[in-house]
C-alpha cells in the first residue's frame, strides 16, 4: 500500500485547503470518496479491468499538486493557434485542471448553453450540479474515480438546455503546464437535456517537458432524443501519464458517439463505461492508437444494455511499432430486459515489429434471448503479399508499409462525423507514421 499511503497522508494533511479552493457540492462527496479510496486502494493487475496496466507503479513517483490554486503563467490564446482548415470551433481552455476564464471565445453560443468552470457553476447553481455530480461516476466502485473525487477542485461544466442545438463544435484544449513534475486531477461534467445536441472535441497537449500525471473523470448525461459527440485526441509526450475514466448515461432514443485518438503519449489508460438506460438508444465507440518506442496504451470499455431496442457499435484499431504495448478489453453486457439488442464489437491490430505487444479481450455477456450480437479480434502483421505487389509497381518498401498502415487506420477516422477533423486527422496520422510531428503555424504547445 506504499503508493496509496502518500495520497492518504496528503489528503489528511490538506483536506481543508482542498475544500477551501473548491465548491461545496464537490466537497460534499470528498469524505466518502476518501473512505472509498482507503478501502479500495489502487486497482492492481489482479483486478480484471486493470490487468494490462500496472496502476500502482504509475502513482508511486512523488508529484507536486497545485492545491492552493496558484496562477499558472500562460496565456493559452497566445500559445495556441490552430490552423486546421475549415474546423471552425468555439475554443475554450483548461490549464492543468482549472478552467481558463480570463478570456472567452469570440464566437457566440446559443442562449442557455453553459460552458465554463465546474467550480464556479457549482457555486452559482449548486442544486443543478448536485443533481448530477458523482452520480454515475461512483467512487465506491473504482479506486481511480475515488482518488479523483477526493482531490479534484475544478474542471469544466457543459450544459445544453432542452431542444437547443449547438451548431459549432466546441473545442476544449487541455494544457499541461508546470515548472516541476505535476499531478493534475481534472473533472468534467456534461449535461445534454432532452432533444439537445452538441459536439465536443477535447485535445490534450503539453507545454513543458516535465513529468505529468493526469487523472480525469468525465460524467455525461444524455436525455431523451438528445445527441452527444465526444472526440478525445491526445498529443502529449513520452513523460506523460494519463488515466481517464469516462461514464456516460443514455436515455431513450438518445445518440452518443465517443471517439478516442492517441497519436503521441507516454502511458495512457482509458476507461469508458456507457449505460443504455432508455429504449431505442444508440451508441458508437471508436478508437485509433498509433504507438511506438516504449509507449503504452490501454483502452477498457463497458457497454451496458439495460433497455430494449438499443444499438451499439464498437471499433478500435491499433498500430504498434518498436517496443510499444497496446491493450483492449471491451465488454458488451446485455441484461435480461434488453430484448432486441443489436451490438457489434471489433478490435483489429497491427504489430509492425516483432517486439511490439498487443493484448486483446473482446467479451459478450448476454442474458436476453432475442438479440443480434457479434464480437471479434485480430492481431497480425503487415501483409507481405501486398508489400510485394506495391514494390513490383515501383513503390519503395518503406512507402508501401506507410500506405498499408495508413489504409488500416483510416476506417476509424472515416467514421467520425466531424468531417473537418477527419481531414485533419488523415494528415496528422500520415505525419505520425513518417516520424514527423506537425505544428500548427504559430502554436507553441507541441514544440
Amino acid at each position: 500500500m506504499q503508493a496509496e499511503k502518500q495520497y492518504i497522508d496528503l489528503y489528511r494533511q490538506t483536506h481543508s485547503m482542498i475544500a477551501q479552493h473548491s465548491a461545496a457540492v464537490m466537497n460534499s462527496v470528498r469524505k466518502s470518496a476518501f473512505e472509498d479510496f482507503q478501502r479500495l486502494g489502487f486497482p492492481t493487475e489482479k483486478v480484471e479491468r486493470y490487468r494490462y496496466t500496472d496502476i500502482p507503479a504509475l502513482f508511486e513517483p512523488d508529484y507536486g499538486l497545485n492545491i492552493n490554486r496558484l496562477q499558472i503563467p500562460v496565456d493559452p490564446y497566445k500559445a495556441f493557434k490552430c490552423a486546421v482548415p475549415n474546423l471552425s470551433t468555439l475554443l475554450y481552455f483548461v490549464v492543468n485542471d482549472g478552467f481558463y476564464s480570463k478570456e472567452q471565445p469570440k464566437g457566440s453560443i446559443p442562449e442557455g448553453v453553459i460552458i465554463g468552470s465546474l467550480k464556479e457553476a457549482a457555486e452559482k447553481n449548486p442544486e443543478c450540479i448536485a443533481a448530477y455530480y458523482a452520480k454515475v461516476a461512483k467512487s465506491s466502485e473504482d479506486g481511480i474515480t475515488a482518488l479523483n473525487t477526493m482531490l479534484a477542485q475544478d474542471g469544466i461544466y457543459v450544459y445544453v438546455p432542452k431542444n437547443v442545438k449547438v451548431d459549432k463544435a466546441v473545442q476544449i484544449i487541455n494544457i499541461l503546464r508546470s515548472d516541476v513534475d505535476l499531478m493534475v486531477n481534472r473533472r468534467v461534467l456534461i449535461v445534454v437535456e432532452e432533444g439537445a445536441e452538441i459536439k465536443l472535441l477535447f485535445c490534450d497537449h503539453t507545454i513543458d517537458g516535465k513529468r505529468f500525471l493526469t487523472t480525469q473523470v468525465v460524467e455525461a448525461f444524455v436525455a431523451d432524443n438528445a445527441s452527444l459527440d465526444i472526440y478525445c485526441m491526445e498529443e502529449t509526450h513520452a513523460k506523460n501519464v494519463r488515466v481517464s475514466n469516462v461514464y456516460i448515461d443514455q436515455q431513450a432514443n438518445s445518440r452518443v458517439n465517443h471517439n478516442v485518438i492517441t497519436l503521441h503519449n507516454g502511458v495512457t489508460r482509458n476507461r469508458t463505461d456507457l449505460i443504455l438506460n432508455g429504449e431505442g438508444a444508440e451508441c458508437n465507440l471508436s478508437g485509433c492508437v498509433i504507438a511506438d518506442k516504449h509507449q503504452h496504451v490501454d483502452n477498457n470499455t463497458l457497454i451496458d444494455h439495460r433497455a430494449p431496442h438499443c444499438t451499439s457499435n464498437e471499433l478500435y484499431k491499433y498500430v504498434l511499432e518498436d517496443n510499444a504495448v497496446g491493450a483492449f478489453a471491451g465488454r458488451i453486457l446485455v441484461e435480461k430486459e434488453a430484448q432486441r439488442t443489436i451490438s457489434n464489437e471489433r478490435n483489429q491490430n497491427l504489430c509492425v515489429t516483432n517486439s511490439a505487444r498487443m493484448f486483446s479481450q473482446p467479451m459478450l455477456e448476454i442474458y436476453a434471448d432475442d438479440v443480434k450480437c457479434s464480437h471479434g479480434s485480430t492481431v497480425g502483421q503487415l501483409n507481405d503479399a501486398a508489400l510485394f505487389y506495391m514494390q513490383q509497381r515501383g513503390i519503395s518498401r518503406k512507402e508501401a508499409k506507410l500506405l498499408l498502415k495508413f489504409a488500416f487506420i483510416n476506417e476509424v477516422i472515416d467514421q467520425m462525423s466531424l468531417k473537418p477533423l477527419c481531414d485533419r486527422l488523415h494528415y496528422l496520422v500520415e505525419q505520425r507514421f513518417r516520424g514527423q510531428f506537425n505544428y500548427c503555424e504559430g502554436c507553441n504547445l507541441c514544440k
Side-chain angles (χ1 to χ4, degrees):
M1 295 287 286
Q2 184 61 38
E4 290 86 355
K5 185 178 185 300
Q6 65 172 316
Y7 296 98
I8 292 170
D9 293 343
L10 170 74
Y11 184 81
R12 284 174 173 162
Q13 294 166 9
T14 64
H15 64 88
S16 59
M17 280 191 293
I18 293 172
Q20 179 184 347
H21 295 283
S22 190
V25 172
M26 301 178 74
N27 294 335
S28 66
V29 294
R30 283 191 205 283
K31 183 179 178 181
S32 59
F34 174 61
E35 293 170 353
D36 289 332
F37 181 72
Q38 286 182 291
R39 174 175 57 85
L40 295 169
F42 288 116
T44 68
E45 291 166 295
K46 293 181 180 180
V47 177
E48 180 64 26
R49 294 200 68 175
Y50 288 89
R51 63 185 299 185
Y52 302 117
T53 302
D54 187 353
I55 294 293
L58 301 180
F59 286 82
E60 280 181 359
D62 185 15
Y63 291 91
L65 283 92
N66 187 12
I67 292 174
N68 284 319
R69 316 306 294 169
L70 300 177
Q71 291 295 316
I72 306 298
V74 62
D75 183 349
Y77 283 91
K78 291 181 179 179
F80 179 85
K81 294 179 182 178
C82 185
V84 179
N86 302 318
L87 185 55
S88 177
T89 61
L90 297 167
L91 188 62
Y92 297 85
F93 290 91
V94 174
V95 179
N96 295 334
D97 52 6
F99 181 78
Y100 186 82
S101 57
K102 291 183 178 180
E103 185 177 344
Q104 294 296 306
K106 296 178 181 178
S108 61
I109 58 176
E111 184 177 354
V113 174
I114 300 172
I115 302 170
S117 163
L118 177 59
K119 172 181 175 291
E120 292 180 9
E123 291 171 340
K124 293 177 182 177
N125 300 293
E127 292 181 0
C128 296
I129 303 301
Y132 298 100
Y133 186 75
K135 292 298 188 292
V136 67
K138 297 177 180 178
S139 63
S140 60
E141 299 176 0
D142 182 82
I144 299 297
T145 298
L147 178 71
N148 178 279
T149 304
M150 79 187 206
L151 294 178
Q153 296 172 282
D154 195 8
I156 191 163
Y157 174 54
V158 177
Y159 169 76
V160 188
K162 183 177 179 180
N163 295 326
V164 172
K165 298 181 180 180
V166 183
D167 294 327
K168 279 190 174 185
V170 175
Q171 187 174 11
I172 299 166
I173 310 296
N174 296 319
I175 296 177
L176 294 174
R177 165 76 177 93
S178 178
D179 295 327
V180 298
D181 295 345
L182 185 70
M183 180 183 186
V184 170
N185 299 287
R186 185 187 305 127
R187 200 76 181 210
V188 180
L189 178 61
I190 303 166
V191 179
V192 187
E193 289 196 340
E194 183 179 347
E197 295 182 10
I198 191 169
K199 291 181 173 66
L200 298 170
L201 169 60
F202 293 91
C203 302
D204 282 18
H205 295 279
T206 51
I207 289 181
D208 301 297
K210 300 296 182 181
R211 292 188 307 167
F212 291 97
L213 169 62
T214 301
T215 73
Q216 174 177 270
V217 171
V218 180
E219 293 181 279
F221 297 86
V222 188
D224 294 356
N225 300 296
S227 176
L228 171 65
D229 286 14
I230 300 179
Y231 304 89
C232 301
M233 185 167 68
E234 183 177 6
E235 283 188 289
T236 55
H237 58 52
K239 295 180 182 179
N240 190 64
V241 175
R242 178 179 186 266
V243 183
S244 174
N245 289 358
V246 176
Y247 301 89
I248 302 175
D249 181 289
Q250 280 190 250
Q251 297 301 317
N253 301 305
S254 61
R255 183 186 63 83
V256 166
N257 290 325
H258 184 269
N259 308 269
V260 177
I261 307 108
T262 305
L263 294 180
H264 200 273
N265 72 311
V267 177
T268 297
R269 208 280 172 173
N270 296 317
R271 167 177 173 163
T272 304
D273 287 17
L274 204 149
I275 304 172
L276 302 174
N277 268 320
E279 186 171 350
E282 176 185 348
C283 72
N284 297 283
L285 269 62
S286 66
C288 67
V289 174
I290 301 170
D292 56 15
K293 299 181 178 63
H294 295 278
Q295 293 170 244
H296 180 107
V297 184
D298 178 358
N299 283 294
N300 188 292
T301 69
L302 166 65
I303 301 177
D304 187 354
H305 287 262
R306 296 184 180 178
H309 297 281
C310 291
T311 302
S312 65
N313 296 288
E314 190 168 4
L315 173 63
Y316 278 76
K317 287 194 171 190
Y318 289 63
V319 177
L320 306 175
E321 301 189 57
D322 301 329
N323 296 301
V325 176
F328 170 82
R331 179 182 173 213
I332 306 295
L333 172 60
V334 182
E335 303 198 23
K336 186 176 180 180
E337 297 78 12
Q339 301 294 340
R340 294 181 174 82
T341 287
I342 299 175
S343 180
N344 299 287
E345 179 186 33
R346 281 191 295 147
N347 173 225
Q348 296 177 321
N349 312 284
L350 276 179
C351 290
V352 180
T353 57
N354 292 330
S355 54
R357 289 182 294 157
M358 181 69 203
F359 302 92
S360 181
Q361 189 182 20
M363 295 170 279
L364 285 176
E365 189 173 342
I366 302 172
Y367 298 97
D369 53 17
D370 185 7
V371 302
K372 293 181 180 179
C373 297
S374 65
H375 71 307
S377 171
T378 60
V379 180
Q381 294 183 314
L382 293 173
N383 188 301
D384 288 334
L387 286 172
F388 178 76
Y389 179 86
M390 286 189 281
Q391 285 178 276
Q392 289 292 94
R393 279 146 185 80
I395 301 173
S396 70
R397 185 173 180 84
K398 181 179 180 181
E399 192 70 15
K401 284 184 175 182
L402 185 147
L403 291 173
L404 287 178
K405 291 185 289 184
F406 193 50
F408 177 80
I409 213 75
N410 273 354
E411 183 183 2
V412 177
I413 298 174
D414 289 339
Q415 289 185 357
M416 298 178 185
S417 58
L418 193 57
K419 293 308 176 185
L421 177 62
C422 293
D423 296 338
R424 185 60 175 169
L425 281 174
H426 284 308
Y427 177 73
L428 291 175
V429 166
E430 181 181 353
Q431 296 297 96
R432 180 70 175 87
F433 283 140
R434 293 186 185 278
Q436 302 171 6
F437 296 97
N438 182 76
Y439 308 119
C440 296
E441 183 179 354
C443 179
N444 298 315
L445 292 186
C446 305
K447 295 183 179 180

